[in-house]
Amino acid sequence: MTVKNLAKASLIGSSRLIGRYVPFSADELRTVPRELVPFEGDLPSDWGHVHAQEARRFVVPRVPMHVNNLLYTPEGMAWADGRLFEKYSIRKPSLRELVRKPSARRARVIDEAVVTQSETPYTFGDWTSQLLISILNRYPLTAPLVLPLRLYERSFVRRDLERLGIEVIPADVDLRIGHALVLPRTRPENAFTPADMRNFQRAFQIDAPTPRPGSIVYLSREGEASDSFERRYPSREVAEIVRGLGGRVVMARETSLDEYIRLAEHAETVVADHGSAICNILYWKPKRVVELFSTAWWNPYFLFFAHAHGVPSYRLMNIDDDSHLSERLAEALKARSLQSVA
């Protein structure tokens, strides 16, 4: 453990003892299995030895909370009655955020607002799985939504909220909210449910067409940097295989939402580099997904997403040893295409 982490752990411990900081309790963090989600293909080395991943749920269900006189900072830290509460905040606090207590007298006053709690509010995947789900569970909102300024500045956040017609108050200064409705993160480990998908489809008015039999789309991350981890994909080789089978290659970072929506009829089979572009299958009705992954970085996020969305077949393909990747992928796609045509 680094010196900084030791200092933070010590400060958290002392802040908790004196009642300045209130983290989640052990009971609030405890989870239990909800269901096993099956998949085909390669096994991620650090995630068990069966072709299934365990989706979990919180033992203590997380429900919206009403809080009076909530002090909310531009970083998303939420204070009430002189204490910093993890269950009202956008994430865990930093050292500086533990020390700096906002002043109620100098804060901008908001009569009523909605705030969200999450764990890692950084990427498009985080936004979708931790915050947007909570918002849609309560949609339409009856008060403006308050977000930390840096989160609101993300283009995908503004895009989704504008499409939903949600009024937003970016927290660029400390705010004192007379009555706050706190929407908690309801699913551990991004364990999406069919109800979550129905909320998405209802709110965004999604009615995807049936894709053309035998059609293939490849969501490529070629030239794209990860928000969280350095990754490498055999994107050009995969693109050649997909084009050779008459499929379409989509550069994930260069494609707009409207363009994704128009691709629905071409997406019976979706091949995708592990990454948040897979979330766009929400606007399609694929029969199968092939996710290209590395054991250096994998989690079951997109497997859970596709399962909740009702995708019948999900295959994982390890790209770490790509000496036979082309042959394996070509065989899988040809087999699927023949099944569709038949």
Side-chain angles (χ1 to χ4, degrees), residues 219-263:
L219 300 177
S220 171
R221 291 187 61 130
E222 183 179 355
E224 185 175 346
S226 169
D227 285 329
S228 53
F229 199 86
E230 186 62 32
R231 313 174 201 173
R232 180 194 63 82
Y233 297 98
S235 304
R236 294 183 182 180
E237 296 90 332
V238 174
E240 289 180 7
I241 295 169
V242 170
R243 289 193 182 103
L245 293 171
R248 299 194 173 208
V249 176
V250 176
M251 307 306 290
R253 66 174 179 173
E254 300 172 3
T255 305
S256 69
L257 179 59
D258 288 340
E259 290 170 327
Y260 276 118
I261 292 172
R262 289 196 292 270
L263 285 165

Side-chain angles (χ1 to χ4, degrees), residues 10-32:
S10 176
L11 183 56
I12 287 176
S14 60
S15 297
R16 183 175 183 176
L17 284 174
I18 65 176
R20 182 186 180 91
Y21 175 54
V22 185
F24 279 111
S25 68
D27 284 343
E28 290 172 321
L29 292 173
R30 199 165 74 249
T31 64
V32 292

Side-chain angles (χ1 to χ4, degrees), residues 27-332:
D27 284 343
E28 290 172 321
L29 292 173
R30 199 165 74 249
T31 64
V32 292
R34 193 187 78 220
E35 66 173 324
L36 280 176
V37 178
F39 63 90
E40 306 167 42
D42 298 330
L43 288 167
S45 59
D46 296 332
W47 291 82
H49 304 285
V50 296
H51 284 82
Q53 288 294 308
E54 186 179 77
R56 303 182 69 81
R57 63 176 177 82
F58 290 115
V59 172
V60 179
R62 296 189 180 180
V63 298
M65 298 162 284
H66 297 271
V67 185
N68 292 325
N69 296 315
L70 187 74
L71 283 174
Y72 196 85
T73 73
E75 295 79 23
M77 297 298 103
W79 295 71
D81 299 323
R83 296 178 291 172
L84 174 57
F85 283 82
E86 183 180 358
K87 65 182 178 182
Y88 304 153
S89 299
I90 201 75
R91 53 169 170 73
K92 290 182 180 293
S94 67
L95 276 172
R96 182 177 62 84
E97 291 160 351
L98 276 169
V99 172
R100 189 187 84 82
K101 183 178 180 180
S103 169
R105 289 190 300 106
R106 291 193 290 269
R108 176 185 167 194
V109 177
I110 304 293
D111 290 335
E112 185 177 7
V114 177
V115 301
T116 55
Q117 176 270 327
S118 68
E119 183 178 346
T120 53
Y122 307 117
T123 69
F124 175 57
D126 296 335
W127 163 250
T128 302
S129 64
Q130 298 181 29
L131 294 104
L132 193 53
I133 278 182
S134 299
I135 292 168
L136 294 180
N137 283 343
R138 198 72 177 196
Y139 183 76
L141 303 184
T142 57
L145 175 69
V146 169
L147 288 177
L149 180 61
R150 290 184 66 181
L151 180 60
Y152 178 70
E153 287 174 340
R154 304 300 296 267
S155 59
F156 51 79
V157 173
R158 295 197 307 274
R159 178 200 70 192
D160 287 344
L161 295 176
E162 287 171 4
R163 293 176 66 219
L164 293 169
I166 292 176
E167 180 185 353
V168 183
I169 299 175
D172 53 353
V173 296
D174 292 338
L175 303 176
R176 179 160 62 87
I177 305 171
H179 178 79
L181 174 65
V182 181
L183 304 181
R185 179 188 182 190
T186 57
R187 315 281 186 232
E189 302 169 354
N190 306 316
F192 297 91
T193 68
D196 296 329
M197 297 298 111
R198 289 193 293 272
N199 284 341
F200 273 111
Q201 292 169 329
R202 181 168 54 250
F204 288 112
Q205 300 179 350
I206 300 170
D207 185 17
T210 300
R212 177 172 52 82
S215 58
I216 306 172
V217 165
Y218 170 42
L219 300 177
S220 171
R221 291 187 61 130
E222 183 179 355
E224 185 175 346
S226 169
D227 285 329
S228 53
F229 199 86
E230 186 62 32
R231 313 174 201 173
R232 180 194 63 82
Y233 297 98
S235 304
R236 294 183 182 180
E237 296 90 332
V238 174
E240 289 180 7
I241 295 169
V242 170
R243 289 193 182 103
L245 293 171
R248 299 194 173 208
V249 176
V250 176
M251 307 306 290
R253 66 174 179 173
E254 300 172 3
T255 305
S256 69
L257 179 59
D258 288 340
E259 290 170 327
Y260 276 118
I261 292 172
R262 289 196 292 270
L263 285 165
E265 64 179 300
H266 306 287
E268 183 182 65
T269 295
V270 177
V271 181
D273 299 330
H274 178 91
S276 57
I278 300 177
C279 291
N280 289 291
I281 66 171
L282 181 69
Y283 302 97
W284 305 338
K285 289 181 179 177
K287 289 186 177 180
R288 59 196 65 87
V289 172
V290 179
E291 179 189 328
L292 307 179
F293 78 99
S294 167
T295 53
W297 176 256
W298 185 80
N299 63 57
Y301 180 114
F302 307 109
L303 169 64
F304 292 158
F305 190 96
H307 176 71
H309 187 41
V311 177
S313 171
Y314 200 95
R315 175 175 291 272
L316 294 178
M317 193 164 290
N318 193 327
I319 62 171
D320 290 338
D321 179 9
D322 59 5
S323 57
H324 300 288
L325 177 65
S326 296
E327 294 88 341
R328 291 194 297 133
L329 180 58
E331 288 176 7

